[in-house]
Each structure stands twice: as structure tokens, then as C-alpha cells.
Amino acid sequence: MTKRHNVMTISAGSSFVDALAGGLIDGAGGDPFHLSDTLVLLPNRRACRALRDAFLRVTNGRPTLLPTMRPLGDTDENHLSMTRNLPGETAEFPPEISPLRRLLLMAQLIRKHSPDGEQLSFDHAVRLSKDLTRLIDQTQTEGLSFDRLDKLVPERYATHWQRTLELLHVVTSYWPKTLAAEGCIDPADRRNRLIDALTELWQREPPQRPVIAAGSTGTIPAVSRLLKCIAAFPSGLVILPGLDRSLDANSTVAAASDETHPQYGMLRLLTNLGITTQEVAEYRPNSASHQYTDRRQLLSEIMRPAATTDAWRDLEPFPKKTFNGVKRIVCPNEAEEARVIALALRQSLEDASKSAALVTPDRGLARRVAAALRRWKIEVDDSAGLPLAYTPPGMFLNLVAAMVSKRFAPVATLAAMKHPLAACGHDRDVFRDNIRLLERRVLRGPKPEPGLEGLRQAVPEDLDTNAAGRIVALLEALECAVGPFRDLMALPERPLPELIAAHVAAAEAVASQGSVSGAERLWLGEAGEALAEFIEEAVQASIVTEPISTMIYPTLLITMMTDRVVRPHYGRHPRLHIWGPLEARLQNADFIILGGLNEGNWPRDPDPDPWLSRPMQENFGLPLPERRIGLAAHDFVMAAAAPEVLLTRSEKSAGAPTVPSRWLARLDAVMLAAAPQAEHGTAHHWQDWARALDAPGKLTPSLPPTPRPPVYARPKRLSVTRIEAWMRDPYSIFARDILKLRPLDPLEADPTAADRGTIIHATLDRFISETTGALPADAETRLYEIGRSVFSNLAKHPVVHAFWWPRFERVARWFIDIERRRRTDITISATEVRGQLALAVGNLEFTLTAVADRVDRLTGGGYAILDYKTGKAPTNADIADGFAPQLPLEAVIAMAGGFSNLPPEQVESLSFWRLSGGQPAGEIQNIKGDIGELAEIARNGLVKLIAAYNDAETPYAAVPNPAKAPRFNDYMHLARLPEWLGLPSNDAS
């Protein structure tokens, strides 16, 4: 290998670590001790691991003495490896401050010195602290000083930014004192000190052994100074990743001033080193480095600086081989994109010598792909890690805190208690059965009163002794487990360490299962160990904080967990990987998938900085967000130069249209200019295959259900309202009355129209029962009082307060006016009166039941039966056709003397009272026609219906007449109505 300078490059398209390992072995000349005497400096620990693996590949697994490999960028252990050769007095730098302790100390400074600090909650201050510590790290990384804030003229900025600058001055003046008191320094400051100390040492005493700095672009000033030092002495070598030496002079000048260009950082480093791109040689040139020259040229054109894109007009056509191995797929949504990627990764395993990797900054897409690969029992690592809060123990810890802070609200309680770790000391299966019982009988429906006591009070009185005992025992076990933590959370303020300790004790108690302690289950595995480390650090760090409001504790805990990730200790699949762009740097795979190529995702949209605006950052000397776009562009180029590449994106994300990544747009522009007739490398077959995975072999249209239960199982007793359901949807009778299926009430249910109807029915029932005879003068006032009493359980709900009560007031005024006029014609009114009628149909004794809203006995003889409706009343046509038989059948029962305490008499009128509370407030809809005739028709129709369904061959069909389908149907999903009626549905069941 030859070079004119101590700076070389490994071009994109070559495996960086493999080329580096091969070059080091070649340079050793067969002397294993020469190789072990070499020091290799790499960007991070991942690169060190990748280089170790590369040595195994290059030597075919032959044992080899490896060079000393040290990371430059991992500050948590970087100082340990870099100070071994430093003088003692130089190496004794203060330790870096714990991340959590730093976060909490900074949050206290923000609250203490901010003009709005008294109003800031501590969790909000912690979120601001995250951004401020990031700003401090960035400032120290760039070698800047906060003294430069004085050069920012506050008058130039809006009032908000002026106040921010004032706060920055205060915080940054107090922060050094805080660090001094802690005996620590910031991590970026310590990294800079260590690297600068090493640079100074090597400048005085150049190392005698070979030193190679590989893979770094020198974007950190301290690293740039070290690289310059290494390049200056004879035994030093700097190897740049993917330097584009094909840039023309104009493009080089433009790229050196364009922070979004992938070569920006390296061009700036070369300028600092005093050399040009043409003076940088290829490290270990071989056939592989020339194989993808055309691909690199294509990528160079795609990334051409905007100032020189006019050159695209004169582009020469690219050779056909340029596009070999490059495919593109555009999927309609993220779900299909994940399936396509998973299928492509799975197909790559058919070649036993092939490795493959997905590279994407979209963690959601990464998780989808990992889940899709489990179809083939493939577990693949997402090297970016899983956020601690998303791991089972981390999620469980947060759910327990949410349950207690929300005072055992149904949703929060079930979320915590249905977690796999929850058992409260019981056997897991028994515990789950009891939780299901609690859910069905207590938690569903209207929200109970807060706290465990509220749950106890919500246990139905009619519940059998065994079930009630199980629920009470469950609540007692839960109170025993979380009681101390609940009592602590009920206080206004408590010290954070005390809250964490009580919280952990509660979580362990809830996680205990039989003879296995909660600690054994909660802290098990990689995620449990990571959570235990976090808790230990959080307790130690939070000692410095003042007491916090217990209300913010759950949110604060999640905020503190945000930046923690859990990575597996060892790989799950040797040839498949999921990498983030940072993790993919210098890594190697034969087949690379670049996923999630949408604008705002790759490259990422810059997050707004709450401390410095964009002009302020520029004036202060900080790099603008475009610098990160340039780094992302370099990652894209390095990955896209792989031997085989698949580019994917989705047209929609979370239901919203997306925009292709700017790099895809540039690719289209270059293709249009240089190869308008060329194939664009689409790979539709992947989508076809992915869709075929779940496509049924044969599509058989669903037929309407026709269940035919045995006669003995068919109902022999139904109410008048169920007769209507029998007419409109017999399948609902089959599901409810034969299979005994009941719809579950929603959790924390808001009051529904049915609840409103129940309340008004109950109110009018009480009023009529308490005011017999002529109405008193204060009848309206009495009705209001009864209404307030009945409404009391729901009075605090905003919907009830804002809408229902005003409507009830209008209904009450209308009702009293009508009632005064009717009372003169009524001798007695019976409300909520129960009745039944036995019907002999063949060999079957069928019982018809009813609960009439109101039956009035008229002074002239006979009954007036009425039904209160808060919704729409049935039409006269439906009543005449038998599809609304409720009141005619009630007339049949009344005339037969079937209502309690009401002798048989003729029914003179049937009517629906529509009590909407709108305009008009009420309306009476009298049923037209001869009541006796209607009753006889209804009775005969019911007898025929009973006889028909007493035949074992008669099916309980679903909605036999769609034009007469019921307005509400709890069982349409079971009957799969949309499938055979052709209705639109989102139900995939």
C-alpha cells in the first residue's frame, strides 16, 4: 500500500471494517506481534466490536493477536482507555457527573432561578433540563464558552428569547459552582480534556508504535485536533470513511460550505490538515474498491451541492451496471412496508453465506419488522435498543404508579393488573380469573367512586356470596400490596427517594406470585437488571432534590426513564440485523435495506430548541441543524453503496400522506437527467409476496348465519321488547337468550342516551307514585326536586350538567302542563307495572312478559297505556306490520288481566310520549286504528311466530329483512353482517 500523506480513505461500497482488518494484517507482514503492538482508535464501542468480528472473517476464524482497539466517542469508558499512557497529574481529572443527578440538579436550578420557576412543575423543569444539558454538551463539544452569550444582543430578539437569555446567564453562572460542589465535571468537558491531554502528550512524545485513527470524520473539534496530531507523526495514520475523491473543484468548494452535504465534515477536516481530496489515497485498494465505482458516482451526483446541480443538464448516461443491485419499493402504508422488509430479510437467509441488515432511523418501523420476523421464529436485535419504559418491567412499574395516582380508576387498574407480572401473591391463573370477575362486575359501566373503597362500594349487592368474596379478597390483597404507596401519594409533597422506595416496594408486592417473591420476578433478565440499575441511580441522584408534588411523580418517572434503553447482551441472529444510522456506521452486511425513506424521518426534522433560536445558535457559534442532515446524508451514502440495496418508503404514515426523502427526490432527478429510459429498479414482487402471505387460498363468500338450536334450548319466555328483536333480528335472540351472551359495558363509560332514558323514567315514576289525584300547585317544583335526586349520581358529569339537565327542565314543564289536563280523566295511574300472559301453542307453554311504563285507568272505564321515549318512537306502519309490537302486546296482557293489581278491561288508547327536551320539549304519538283489532293481530302474529320457532328446522336468521333491521345491534359482529350484506366495516374479525 502507498500513500503520500498519513491520511487515507476506505471508499463507500467497501466494507470499512473488513478492509481495515485486511490492511492491518497485510501491514503486519506475518508478524503477529507487530499487529498486537498497533493502536487503533475507532469512533465508538460498536465499531470496536465490528472490527473484532471483521478479523474473524478476514482470517476465516484463525486465532490472531489483535491490535489494541479504543473508542474515541464513548465518554462513559473512554477516559479509562485513553489515560493509561498519560502522566499521573494530567490523568486525574474529576469524574463526570451521573446523568440523572445532573438532570435533577439542573432542574432545581431552573426552578430556583427562573422568573417563572414557582409556576414550573418539577417534571416540566426536568424536561427543560434535558434540553439545557444537551445545549451545554453541544457548547463544550464545539469548544465554546457561555461567555459568548454576552455578544448576543437581547434587544434584537423577541421578549421570550430575551427572558431565555437572562435565565441562561443565571443557570450557567450557577452550574459551575454546582459541579464544583459535586466534585464532578460535565461528560463532554471530560471527554475534551482527556482527548486534549492525549494530544498534548503525543505532540511532546510521539508514540513509537503505529497509531491508526479510523472511521472518524473529525466533527468534534477535540477529535479533529487529535487526528491532526496523529497524521503528523510518521507512525500515525488517519483513515476517513467514504471520502468522495471524485468531486470536481466547484462541487468541492460548494460542499465545504454546505453543512447538509455528506462530505462537509471531512472536507473541513482536510482543510484543517492542509491537504486536498486528491492527495488522499485509497487504503488497501483492491477489486472490491473499484467494483462499485459507478454506484459511488451515482451517489455523488445525488448528493451534489445545490449550487452546482445545473451540471445535471450535461450528465452523461450511467452504465447499466450502475443500477445492478439497487431496488426501490413504495408501499401504501407502514404495515405493508414492515412486512415487505421482513420478507426480504427472510429471503436473504436462503443463501447461507449472506448477511442482511435493515438500516432505519424509524424505531417504530424497526419494531414492526422485528415483530414480523417472528412469523418465521426469527429473533433479531434492534441495536438501537428498546426504551426502558417499553420493556415489560419498566412498563409495569409505570402502570403501578399510574394506577395509584389515578386513584384506582378502572382503565388504569386493569392496565396494571392485567400485566403479566401482576399477581398480588396469588397463583397467576387464579389472579387472572379474579381480575376478570372484578372487571365484569365492578369496573365496567359508569366509573366507580375513587379509591379502593369506591371499588368496594361498587360491588353489586345481588352478587352471589362466592363471587363477592373473591372480589373483596382481591381488593384486600391489592390494598395490602400498594397501601403504603397509596397513602404516601395522597400527601401533597414527599421527597423523591421516599416515593421511589415506596413505589418499588408496591411493585414488588404486586409482582409476587405464590411462593415467588416480586423481587425475583421484577428484576429478572436484561430488562430487569437495567431497571434495577436505573432505580439505584435514581435514588442516589434524587437525594439532592427538594420534596416534589406527588401528583407529578408518575410523569417525572417516565421523563427520567426516557433516554434509557435496553440492549441485549448477545445477538439473537448471527446474519440478520436491525441498525439505526448511528449503529450502522462502519458495519457491514451483504444486503442492506434502507427503510422509512420519508422526509422528516430520514433525515429527521430538527427538534426546536427551547433555549436558543436558530439566529441565536448561529451568532453563538453553534452548528446549525443542517450539520445533522449532513451526517445523516453521509450515513445514507455509506449504506446505499452496499453490494445489494433495497430502498423502501410508505406513502402514508399514521394515516397521513408522506413526502419522499429528499435523497429519493434527488435520485429521481438524476435518473431523469442521465438515464430517462433506464429501469428504476422497482421490486413489486416483494409486495405481491408479502400480500400473498396472508391471502387465503380460496375466497369463499360468507353466507348469512342460520343457527338451528334444538327445540328444548329455545326460549320459552320473552318480554314484549324482545318480541320486536325476534321479528327484526332472530339471531340476537339466539345469541342473547340461548347462548347467554351479553355485551360488556365500556370502561369508565360516559352517560349514554339509554342512561338518560332510565333517569327520566325513574323520575316520572317517583313523581306519579308520590302525587296521586289532582296535581298540587307546586307540582313542577316537586318534579324538579325528584329530578335532582335521581340525577345526583351523574350530576357532576359535564354532559349531564350542560345538556341533560336543561332538557329535563323543559320536559318537566311540558309534562306538568299535560298531566294537569289529563288527571281529571284518570282514576289511578300504575307505573313500572309488571305483567305476563301464558300462551299455549301446540305442546309449548310460552310466557309473554312486560313492564309497562305507565297504565292509566280512565274514569269512563278502560285503560290508557303509554310508553316514555327519549329517542325516536316507532312509526304507525311498523306497528301495523308487527315490527313494533310492544304496546299492542301490552294491550293483550292488560285485556287478559295480566298486569299486577289491574283487573282485565278494554284498552282505550296506546301512545308513545316522546320526551326529548328539544323543540318541542315533548310530543304525544297516539297509535291509530282500533286498539282491540291491533291487539288481536299482535296476539295472532305472536302465536304464529312462536309456532314457527318451535320447529327445529326454523333458523334464527340474522336480519331476515334488512329494511327492518334494528337501529342498534349488539351482535352484528358475531353475525358478520358486513361480510354478507356488503356493508362497509373496519372489523377484521
Side-chain angles (χ1 to χ4, degrees), residues 604-619:
R604 287 277 190 195
D605 285 334
D607 295 325
D609 192 324
W611 293 100
L612 291 178
S613 65
R614 182 186 175 91
M616 293 165 73
Q617 292 177 42
E618 189 172 14
N619 293 334

Side-chain angles (χ1 to χ4, degrees), residues 186 286 290 388 539 583 714 743 813 869 938:
D186 289 309
N286 52 32
H290 299 292
L388 180 59
V539 171
E583 291 77 25
R714 301 188 179 205
R813 288 191 293 270
K869 293 289 185 186

Side-chain angles (χ1 to χ4, degrees), residues 321-348:
K321 64 179 181 179
T322 302
F323 309 102
N324 290 344
V326 179
K327 301 294 182 182
R328 288 177 61 182
I329 297 179
V330 179
C331 300
N333 52 57
E334 294 164 304
E336 182 167 305
E337 183 181 8
R339 287 197 297 270
V340 164
I341 292 172
L343 187 61
L345 290 173
R346 171 62 185 86
Q347 193 274 341
S348 70

Side-chain angles (χ1 to χ4, degrees), residues 21 24-25 35 51-60 66-67:
L24 289 171
I25 291 174
L35 187 60
L51 182 56
R52 284 197 296 269
D53 294 339
F55 274 107
L56 287 173
R57 288 193 296 270
V58 171
T59 62
N60 292 320
L66 298 181

